[in-house]
Amino acid sequence: MVHLASVPQDHEINAGTLPEAVKKISMQLSNDEDQFTTSIYGSRFAGEDLPRHEIPENEMPRDIAYRMIKDELSLDGNPMLNLASFVTTYMEEEAEKLMTESFSKNFIDYEEYPQSADIQNRCVSMIARMFNAPTSDENCIGTSCVGSSEAIMLGVLAMKRRWKNKMKALGKSTENPNIIMSSAVQVCWEKAARYFEVEEKLVYCTKDRFVIDPEETVNLVDENTIGICVILGTTYTGEYEDVKSVNDLLVKKGLDTPIHVDAASGGFVAPFVIPDLEWDFRLERVVSINVSGHKYGLVYPGVGWVVWRSAEYLPKELVFNINYLGAEQSSFTLNFSKGASQVIGQYYQLIRLGKKGYRAIMSNLTRTADYLSSALEALDYTIMSKKSGEGLPLVAFRLKEDADRNWDEFALAHKLRARGWVVPAYTMAPHTENMKMLRVVVREDFTKNRCDALICDIKLCSGLLDSMDKDSIKKHDEFVRRHTMRSSVSKHNHPEYKNEEHSLQGKHGKTHSIC
């Protein structure tokens, strides 16, 4: 059937319109005409400064906003040439697509996004079993975090509260808790201790030892010790600390002091490269472990994981039960809302690669690190990191002592920066006589071909520095500090908190490398 439409008469047109009183309501709304040009760079926005301090009065077209910000970001360095960082810089397109599609999901809302929550639980189970968590008579427990920093904060909170409950039960003072750790810890451990008012008992490195001494570590234990941090892959040299020796000494002395293993970097490496190394829940005093998914877990930042041997080691009073998102749920995190993307990305990598895939990648990285170590030794550098999988796939190295040399590790780092490489130069942890060193982190996308390019540039830059006199090197370093390194001209730090030497200096006088 065809529907016929009648044409209304003039007096019918205004029938049913708004009352006159409503018509008189006046609103001052924008009605500016859009500006169209043949090119983004032909628009007026290309000739104006980008807004910096105040929200602009008017809008701009989306394609122009995108291009202006993209152009601004092009001034950043190339992440693949940033050999200072452990953070993942490559993921497959399918993983990126899954993560993009999850941007709008608030992960904390378990009722609305039950599959995302279930995927987190699957990841926790897989990672806990990778760490040999007991699954027969104990219920292992874990959660995702923004990164290992949050995971470590949660681990310290759990150890402190459990110690406090124990001391209360014994009728003893809960004042002055302490935690034992290496002086080579990453800065997040110092943050955790300071934020949660726990005294730091440090086991200092030496010129010949860059990790904790197990005997010295256990000797520091007293009744106020909430736990011991042992690092599976230090930030400085990538060496694995001896978790088993610390555990065995505690057992021998009858001490029930818990161990938290900071496996931020090594947790996804050691199980696949040296699976027989005992550092995880196979050791009875190890009660909690953290790992960074965005490091060798091969996920973009930021995601971390923390796992406890059983619920016994996570006091109930730290876990909050809420229902204002539509259903009862438990929460133990420092933040609340967060995106689901990184958890989805972690699950993709775990099932996409499997144990065989992770083993293949970590084996390649270990071979590349060993190859780079051998090449640098041939160039007469001293290697400070371990080979053959005894540490992380990184190369820490320094110059041999030479009184006639006019340049140091920092000068080499500056020269390499001019070639596009970011290779950090820094001083070793306290009590090592300000030993200078450089470090190259071998990540998934650092292939042998790229490694060869770095070796050639190190040789080239070393030769250039050898040909320069002391004054020329000093002028070059000053130029780099003032005009190349962003830290010297940064405006993002409030002057009240900015270090005059442009480095993150801990209270123990050490300069932290940033991951």
Side-chain angles (χ1 to χ4, degrees):
M1 178 180 176
V2 177
H3 293 276
L4 299 175
S6 62
V7 178
Q9 298 179 10
D10 289 344
H11 71 276
E12 296 175 320
I13 292 176
N14 293 324
T17 57
L18 294 172
E20 288 297 322
V22 176
K23 289 182 179 180
K24 292 180 180 179
I25 295 175
S26 176
M27 291 184 287
Q28 297 181 358
L29 300 179
S30 171
N31 194 28
D32 294 338
E33 292 185 6
D34 289 330
Q35 301 287 324
F36 296 98
T37 63
T38 56
S39 165
I40 288 173
Y41 298 107
S43 71
R44 63 181 176 84
F45 299 101
E48 298 176 353
D49 290 334
L50 279 176
R52 294 180 183 275
H53 305 294
E54 190 173 337
I55 299 174
E57 183 65 32
N58 299 312
E59 72 277 17
M60 69 171 65
R62 61 186 181 186
D63 56 339
I64 292 180
Y66 169 80
R67 176 51 62 177
M68 293 295 103
I69 296 174
K70 184 178 177 68
D71 287 354
E72 185 100 341
L73 292 174
S74 69
L75 299 176
D76 280 342
N78 182 346
M80 290 186 176
L81 299 183
N82 180 9
L83 305 181
S85 177
F86 288 90
V87 174
T88 295
T89 52
Y90 165 79
M91 291 185 76
E92 291 176 329
E93 184 179 339
E94 290 78 8
E96 293 178 342
K97 187 177 179 182
L98 275 173
M99 294 171 73
T100 301
E101 291 167 352
S102 302
F103 278 164
S104 61
K105 293 185 179 182
N106 182 8
F107 179 75
I108 199 65
D109 194 344
Y110 304 154
E111 179 68 12
E112 185 67 23
Y113 309 114
Q115 286 309 117
S116 295
D118 190 56
I119 283 174
Q120 180 212 235
N121 295 342
R122 297 176 201 175
C123 290
V124 168
S125 179
M126 291 178 183
I127 291 169
R129 288 171 184 270
M130 182 172 69
F131 295 161
N132 293 291
T135 56
S136 55
D137 56 347
E138 296 181 85
N139 292 321
C140 184
I141 188 171
T143 185
S144 64
C145 306
V146 174
S148 271
S149 291
E150 183 186 6
I152 286 165
M153 300 279 181
L154 298 179
V156 171
L157 275 175
M159 287 190 291
K160 181 181 178 183
R161 181 54 62 97
R162 188 166 177 267
W163 167 84
K164 189 173 183 180
N165 291 344
K166 173 186 172 183
M167 297 298 280
K168 279 184 176 180
L170 294 172
K172 295 185 176 182
S173 171
T174 58
E175 298 295 321
N176 306 314
N178 66 69
I179 187 168
I180 299 169
M181 63 182 77
S182 167
S183 62
V185 291
Q186 214 266 356
V187 69
C188 59
W189 279 98
E190 293 184 277
K191 287 182 179 180
R194 200 175 305 178
Y195 292 170
F196 302 139
E197 298 183 322
V198 178
E199 178 193 353
E200 303 163 54
K201 281 192 171 183
L202 297 179
V203 181
Y204 287 97
C205 300
T206 68
K207 281 193 68 175
D208 304 312
R209 175 178 52 78
F210 308 132
V211 290
I212 58 171
D213 173 72
E215 189 80 36
E216 183 181 346
T217 299
V218 175
N219 286 341
L220 289 174
V221 173
D222 60 31
E223 68 173 0
N224 289 330
T225 300
I226 67 171
I228 299 173
C229 159
V230 188
I231 312 169
L232 194 74
T234 68
T235 296
Y236 288 87
T237 65
E239 187 174 348
Y240 297 149
E241 295 190 323
D242 192 347
V243 188
K244 181 171 172 42
S245 291
V246 175
N247 174 86
D248 292 350
L249 282 169
L250 290 172
V251 173
K252 182 179 179 181
K253 293 188 176 186
L255 299 171
D256 64 354
T257 308
I259 296 174
H260 177 102
V261 178
D262 180 0
S265 300
F268 273 103
V269 180
F272 303 109
V273 178
I274 43 173
D276 293 333
L277 179 69
E278 294 184 54
W279 62 271
D280 50 23
F281 291 120
R282 286 170 287 184
L283 305 175
E284 59 185 288
R285 291 294 187 266
V286 173
V287 304
S288 51
I289 300 172
N290 70 275
V291 66
S292 291
H294 60 235
K295 292 183 181 177
Y296 290 109
L298 309 180
V299 182
Y300 290 144
V303 61
W305 304 90
V306 59
V307 184
W308 288 269
R309 175 183 288 275
S310 71
E312 171 191 353
Y313 299 101
L314 177 54
K316 288 184 179 180
E317 58 265 38
L318 294 178
V319 180
F320 293 84
N321 293 295
I322 60 169
N323 64 2
Y324 44 74
L325 288 177
E328 289 285 343
Q329 64 184 62
S330 300
S331 174
F332 182 44
T333 55
L334 295 182
N335 67 302
F336 195 65
S337 295
K338 68 174 179 180
S341 298
Q342 272 65 30
V343 171
I344 305 300
Q346 184 73 81
Y347 186 59
Y348 173 90
Q349 294 290 51
L350 291 173
I351 67 171
R352 159 76 176 94
L353 296 173
K355 293 179 181 178
K356 183 179 180 181
Y358 270 100
R359 190 176 298 113
I361 291 170
M362 300 309 156
S363 296
N364 267 348
L365 300 186
T366 301
R367 291 189 193 99
T368 302
D370 285 355
Y371 173 72
L372 178 58
S373 291
S374 298
L376 290 172
E377 281 181 315
L379 292 175
D380 211 28
Y381 287 93
T382 298
I383 304 301
M384 302 171 66
S385 47
K386 298 291 185 179
K387 291 184 178 183
S388 305
E390 293 183 20
L392 297 176
L394 65 77
V395 182
F397 60 105
R398 69 176 188 266
L399 292 164
K400 291 185 177 179
E401 293 184 11
D402 184 350
D404 296 327
R405 186 186 295 112
N406 292 321
W407 53 280
D408 62 6
E409 289 81 357
F410 288 87
L412 177 58
H414 293 161
K415 274 294 184 186
L416 288 170
R417 186 175 286 267
R419 299 286 297 173
W421 302 102
V422 179
V423 177
Y426 51 96
T427 51
M428 186 57 197
H431 294 200
T432 55
E433 300 180 18
N434 292 319
M435 182 186 297
K436 299 174 185 178
M437 57 190 295
L438 299 115
R439 187 194 67 198
V440 172
V441 177
V442 178
R443 295 193 306 270
E444 183 183 7
D445 54 5
F446 189 71
T447 60
K448 182 178 180 297
N449 185 61
R450 189 171 293 164
C451 182
D452 284 337
L454 174 65
I455 293 168
C456 288
D457 279 342
I458 289 175
K459 183 178 181 181
L460 172 67
C461 292
S462 300
L464 287 172
L465 288 166
D466 281 335
S467 67
M468 296 170 66
D469 59 46
K470 194 171 185 178
D471 288 340
S472 298
I473 293 172
K474 184 178 180 180
K475 288 178 181 178
H476 177 261
D477 286 353
E478 184 66 23
F479 178 85
V480 170
R481 279 194 292 269
R482 287 183 176 276
H483 304 293
T484 303
M485 297 182 69
R486 301 294 190 270
S487 57
S488 62
V489 294
S490 65
K491 298 179 181 178
H492 56 275
N493 287 328
H494 190 286
E496 181 70 19
Y497 306 103
K498 190 171 182 179
N499 191 301
E500 292 299 324
E501 296 179 0
H502 311 304
S503 63
L504 290 179
Q505 195 82 5
K507 71 177 183 180
H508 305 294
K510 67 182 179 183
T511 300
H512 298 287
S513 63
I514 306 303
C515 301

